Amino acid sequence: MTATTHSTLFPQVPDSADAVLEGLDPEQREVATALHGPVCVLAGAGTGKTRAITHRIAYGVRAGILQPSSVLAVTFTNRAAGEMRGRLRQLGAHGVQARTFHSAALRQLQYFWPKAIGGSLPRIVDRKIQLVADAAAVCRIRLDRGELRDAAAEIEWSKVTQTVPADYALAAAKAGREAPRDPAEIAQLYAAYEDLKRERAVIDFEDVLLLTVAVLQDRHDIAEQVRAQYQHFVVDEYQDVSPLQQRLLELWLGERDNLCVVGDASQTIYSFTGATPDHLLDFRTRHPGATVVKLVRDYRSTPQVVHLANGLLAQARGRAADHRLELVSQRDPGPEPVYTEYTDEPAEAEGAARRIRELLDAGVPAAEIAVLFRTNGQSETYEQALADVGIPYQLRGAERFFDRPEVRKAGIALRGAARFGGNDALLEDAVDLPSQVRAVLSGEGWTPQPPAGSGAVRERWESLAALVNLAQDFSAARPGATLADLVAELDERANAQHAPTVQGVTLASLHSAKGLEWDVVFLVGVAEGMMPITYARTEEQIEEERRLLYVGVTRARERLHVSWALSRSPGGRPNRRPSRFLDGLRPGSGGTAGRGGTGAVGGVERGVPGTTVAGSIAVPRRTQRIPARCRVCGRTLTDAGEMKLMRCEDCPSDMDEGLYERLRSWRAVQARRNGQPAFCVFTDKTLMAIAETVPEEAGELARIPGVGMRKFTRYGADVLAICAGQDPGGDAEGD
């Protein structure tokens, strides 16, 4: 039997613990049998990570090593949690909890709220848009629907990164975020939003995690009760963990280390939501005794698809790229990826539809075909191309194009203009149908140039731009057509999309395709400006775009079609070029396929418990964080600044002023050398905490909030030297 990511719908339940291990490859078996201590599984796309961790849990339960009720497996979507529960049942491991972070936290919060706070848990708001709108009204800030969505996203990011309103502007700048409005306005809106929640006695989705963390920090008895219940933890998609989720996980663990994490830094594509691969990449630093297992045998994709995926990562840069995994396909050879260049976007969509029709006629099920694009605004062209040739489809991760609020509103505006356009001042200077549509939609938010940045505002513009393009194409095909004719055409197109979609071809954005796979994948719009997207400017943003394309490539099992268009519309200037990510990979593109060398190979690395060494300083193994308390009065600290100082703002300070100024001078030198703001080295609060504590040894310094293992490794020797009154290794000012 060969290890595989596929199984029958109703497999036979293994009759023993050893039978659970049958069919696992050597690395998967290592995962399944490593039941004690910290375990880190670095799993490439298609390598059977879910299979490995579910068999690990099932083997432990069936062998009597793990009690089912003591295991908590957490992941990020209800779909993934449901799949995990289903697999565990099929393996005979009943009673194991497999939940999302939010679901697990909500259960605990509901259970302990009466004991910890009293009364019943406040109502959770289903959608925060209305609350954000009310907060905007309080602040006298006018936001349209798209801006409301973007503001809500900024509030969500702030909360999962544990950023308070007063710190938003600085934190957003440090993270390189493009705020939808002035950062000061977003901070004001965020503060008003929190005030309204308190007034109305409601909480939001992120509060579930924040409040659970607060209860576990403040109530040791409750924390111990939770830890007595759950003694073994498994975290899937660990590269997507936010700082808040990591904090909750640490509180669940306590001082224990029975933790298994699974992830792939090369599939980090949600950093805009607060996700960071740092927790995965730093796992060995935090847990020096960890067993690290690398899964690189790809059971999903053919060697040809895997070769392209490896080539994409071979050109990558950055920390995640340094930990890339070199996949090795376990499947029989298949066709080479097909690269196609089209003159314009409609031709590209028609070409994809034509090839899909050929595949369907050859017997490929529609449900095994997907068309993946970078933004939801691209979907309409492909919806129409498929509808034109009678191919059913289903749109995943986004509303149908004609069901989108901005499209419905635009349709109403166009219909009104068609009826009463003679009295509309907007249309006085419009000489033809395209200019009439542009004039009408300018009142709905369309502009000749796309808005800066990403998010809902950009997606809304793309939807309106698609209608403008449609009007241009319609006018070219039917000279003399009126606005009323276009409205009738839009109605017909909307009605044509009501075909059954259960067995249809999947249309999805690359983000919503994560975790899915198909026999045939069409990656469309792979051109500069769309992949990478125009608003990706920093190296970190560009590399995330590359990882997004990597995720798209690795969704394909057998056939992969990659295409791009030289211009947006028929007759347009052919000024586009294929994505830079394809340089050296597609035929005829020249260049080099990578930077040389290979990524990490599969296998097992066993850690040695104890300490690691950074330079000449022993780095202590990180211990469980305990609730932060003021070292002067003993009060529990919840404010981020106070937690860094380890005392209340109002409590007396015994800071060594001379040491503080020496640390500030040293920090200024480091910041200039690194080409970054001073606070990126250490914040003022962290320097104050160091100057108040005056650590004499590594352990004391490492325990100061705001230092962290990475900064300790980089700056620890200098800081300890300065605290001891010595020269910081030649890095003192004037060196």
Side-chain angles (χ1 to χ4, degrees):
M1 183 176 178
T2 303
T4 177
T5 58
H6 303 290
S7 62
T8 59
L9 289 175
F10 302 101
Q12 184 176 356
V13 176
D15 57 10
S16 66
D18 288 341
V20 172
L21 302 178
E22 292 179 3
L24 299 181
D25 67 30
E27 291 78 30
Q28 291 172 341
R29 183 179 286 256
E30 286 284 351
V31 175
T33 55
L35 296 173
H36 298 289
V39 178
C40 179
V41 183
L42 301 177
T47 57
K49 67 179 179 65
T50 305
R51 177 182 177 86
I53 59 177
T54 52
H55 280 68
R56 177 184 190 269
I57 296 170
Y59 176 72
V61 169
R62 299 291 297 275
I65 300 171
L66 304 179
Q67 292 299 315
S69 60
S70 72
V71 180
L72 177 60
V74 289
T75 187
F76 286 83
T77 66
N78 289 320
R79 180 188 61 79
E83 179 183 358
M84 193 177 292
R85 287 193 294 270
R87 293 200 190 194
L88 290 170
R89 283 194 300 270
Q90 293 170 356
L91 293 169
H94 301 280
V96 174
Q97 293 291 315
R99 298 184 173 276
T100 64
F101 269 101
H102 283 86
S103 174
L106 180 58
R107 289 191 77 204
Q108 294 174 17
L109 198 59
Q110 289 171 329
Y111 183 81
F112 290 112
W113 188 267
K115 178 179 179 180
I117 309 299
S120 57
L121 183 70
R123 179 176 65 86
I124 302 174
V125 292
D126 294 331
R127 298 176 69 248
K128 57 171 61 69
I129 291 292
Q130 185 56 53
L131 205 55
V132 174
D134 294 344
V138 169
C139 299
R140 301 181 182 276
I141 298 174
R142 296 188 61 181
L143 301 175
D144 63 24
R145 183 178 178 84
E147 290 173 320
L148 283 172
R149 284 174 51 195
D150 289 344
E154 289 302 293
I155 291 173
E156 291 171 2
W157 173 81
S158 298
K159 298 182 79 164
V160 301
T161 56
Q162 299 175 282
T163 301
V164 298
D167 295 340
Y168 168 77
L170 185 63
K174 183 178 178 181
R177 295 183 72 82
E178 291 193 27
R181 297 288 288 259
D182 182 271
E185 285 188 324
I186 297 296
Q188 181 187 7
L189 185 65
Y190 178 15
Y193 170 85
E194 292 297 311
D195 290 341
L196 281 179
K197 283 201 292 100
R198 282 189 289 271
E199 291 175 11
R200 299 177 184 182
V202 297
I203 60 176
D204 62 22
F205 203 51
E206 291 71 41
D207 288 330
V208 171
L209 298 184
L210 285 164
L211 290 170
T212 305
V213 165
V215 168
L216 295 178
Q217 283 184 159
D218 285 348
R219 292 292 299 267
H220 297 288
D221 56 332
I222 293 176
E224 289 306 316
Q225 192 172 341
V226 172
R227 292 165 191 160
Q229 170 70 48
Y230 297 115
Q231 300 173 28
H232 301 271
F233 296 86
V234 177
V235 184
D236 193 13
E237 303 288 3
Y238 194 54
Q239 78 277 353
D240 291 333
V241 165
S242 70
L244 180 57
Q245 290 165 331
Q246 175 65 20
R247 180 69 183 125
L248 178 59
L249 178 62
E250 291 170 350
L251 288 166
W252 281 341
L253 274 168
E255 296 181 356
R256 303 159 302 172
D257 59 3
N258 282 325
L259 171 66
C260 175
V261 301
V262 190
D264 179 11
S266 296
Q267 296 188 68
T268 304
I269 59 173
Y270 295 107
S271 65
F272 60 90
T273 67
T276 171
D278 288 348
H279 304 301
L280 175 68
L281 299 178
D282 291 339
F283 191 84
R284 192 67 175 273
T285 302
R286 297 196 313 274
H287 302 279
T291 297
V292 178
V293 184
K294 298 185 175 83
L295 303 183
V296 298
R297 302 175 198 247
D298 188 318
Y299 299 99
R300 174 188 298 159
S301 305
T302 63
Q304 288 73 17
V305 173
V306 166
H307 178 72
L308 175 57
N310 286 338
L312 280 171
L313 291 189
Q315 302 180 54
R317 297 290 184 269
R319 192 167 182 233
D322 292 338
H323 293 79
R324 66 191 176 90
L325 299 167
E326 189 86 7
L327 299 178
V328 181
S329 175
Q330 307 298 298
R331 297 195 56 178
D332 291 335
E336 291 288 340
V338 177
Y339 300 89
T340 309
E341 183 173 275
Y342 292 94
T343 56
D344 51 67
E345 289 181 1
E348 184 180 7
E350 292 166 6
R354 197 163 48 245
R355 291 181 184 235
I356 290 171
R357 169 51 64 193
E358 294 171 356
L359 291 167
L360 296 176
D361 293 342
V364 178
E368 290 298 341
I369 303 173
V371 179
L372 306 182
F373 34 75
R374 175 61 180 85
T375 69
N376 290 328
Q378 295 169 268
S379 70
E380 191 273 340
T381 304
Y382 292 89
E383 293 175 52
Q384 187 56 48
L386 293 176
D388 285 346
V389 292
I391 297 175
Y393 64 87
Q394 52 185 333
L395 194 58
R396 183 179 182 88
E399 298 165 292
R400 284 178 171 275
F401 180 80
F402 287 103
D403 290 340
R404 296 173 189 166
E406 63 270 20
V407 174
R408 290 201 304 268
K409 190 176 178 184
I412 293 172
L414 290 170
R415 187 171 286 106
R419 290 178 181 175
F420 311 110
N423 299 319
D424 193 334
L426 278 174
L427 302 182
E428 287 181 357
D429 298 325
V431 297
D432 55 16
L433 177 59
S435 60
Q436 289 176 333
V437 171
R438 288 193 294 269
V440 172
L441 296 188
S442 65
E444 303 300 322
W446 178 83
T447 56
Q449 296 299 321
S454 58
V457 172
R458 175 77 182 213
E459 290 181 4
R460 181 172 179 269
W461 181 89
E462 287 168 345
S463 295
L464 297 178
L467 291 175
V468 171
N469 298 339
L470 183 63
Q472 292 173 339
D473 296 341
F474 184 68
S475 179
R478 291 181 53 183
T482 66
L483 202 52
D485 294 331
L486 176 65
V487 170
E489 173 71 10
L490 291 175
D491 289 340
E492 289 181 13
R493 286 172 177 254
N495 292 332
Q497 292 173 6
H498 295 324
T501 59
V502 176
Q503 292 300 319
V505 171
T506 299
L507 299 179
S509 70
L510 288 166
H511 281 102
S512 63
K514 178 76 166 63
L516 303 174
E517 57 188 78
W518 297 269
D519 285 345
V520 185
V521 167
F522 288 78
L523 287 176
V524 300
V526 188
E528 286 292 307
M530 193 60 73
M531 180 57 66
I533 199 82
T534 51
Y535 50 77
R537 299 186 182 93
T538 67
E539 181 174 318
E540 291 79 7
Q541 291 169 336
I542 295 294
E543 288 306 318
E544 181 141 338
E545 293 288 299
R546 188 193 307 275
R547 294 194 296 270
L548 191 56
L549 183 58
Y550 171 79
V551 166
V553 168
T554 55
R555 299 310 95 195
R557 298 191 193 109
E558 299 173 4
R559 296 175 182 270
L560 181 65
H561 296 259
V562 183
S563 63
W564 58 91
L566 296 178
S567 67
R568 180 185 56 75
S569 57
R573 288 185 58 191
N575 56 0
R576 292 181 175 178
R577 62 175 296 269
S579 169
R580 71 191 75 171
F581 299 147
L582 299 179
D583 290 349
L585 300 176
R586 61 183 177 86
S589 62
T592 175
R595 54 182 175 173
T598 60
V601 297
V604 183
E605 299 174 10
R606 305 192 189 281
V608 179
T611 62
T612 60
V613 175
S616 58
I617 296 182
V619 180
R621 179 172 175 174
R622 176 169 292 194
T623 58
Q624 166 61 22
R625 296 178 185 172
I626 60 175
R629 297 186 181 279
C630 175
R631 53 192 171 82
V632 179
C633 70
R635 182 178 69 85
T636 298
L637 303 175
T638 56
D639 178 77
E642 292 183 342
M643 290 172 70
K644 285 190 176 182
L645 286 175
M646 296 186 292
R647 63 169 174 81
C648 305
E649 288 278 8
D650 297 331
C651 285
S653 168
D654 55 354
M655 183 177 69
D656 183 331
E657 295 286 350
L659 174 57
Y660 178 68
E661 291 304 321
R662 290 196 299 276
L663 288 169
R664 282 175 56 87
S665 297
W666 165 83
R667 181 183 66 174
V669 175
Q670 297 300 319
R672 285 199 299 272
R673 289 181 175 178
N674 298 339
Q676 59 185 191
F679 66 77
C680 291
V681 180
F682 286 119
T683 64
D684 287 345
K685 289 289 178 63
T686 299
L687 292 187
M688 290 173 66
I690 294 172
E692 290 181 355
T693 308
V694 193
E696 297 180 353
E697 58 184 36
E700 290 179 85
L701 176 59
R703 284 192 292 271
I704 294 176
V707 174
M709 297 307 295
R710 195 190 314 173
K711 290 187 178 181
F712 177 89
T713 301
R714 185 170 185 179
Y715 302 122
D718 281 6
V719 172
L720 288 173
I722 294 171
C723 290
Q726 301 169 357
D727 188 305
D731 281 340
E733 186 151 24
D735 182 23

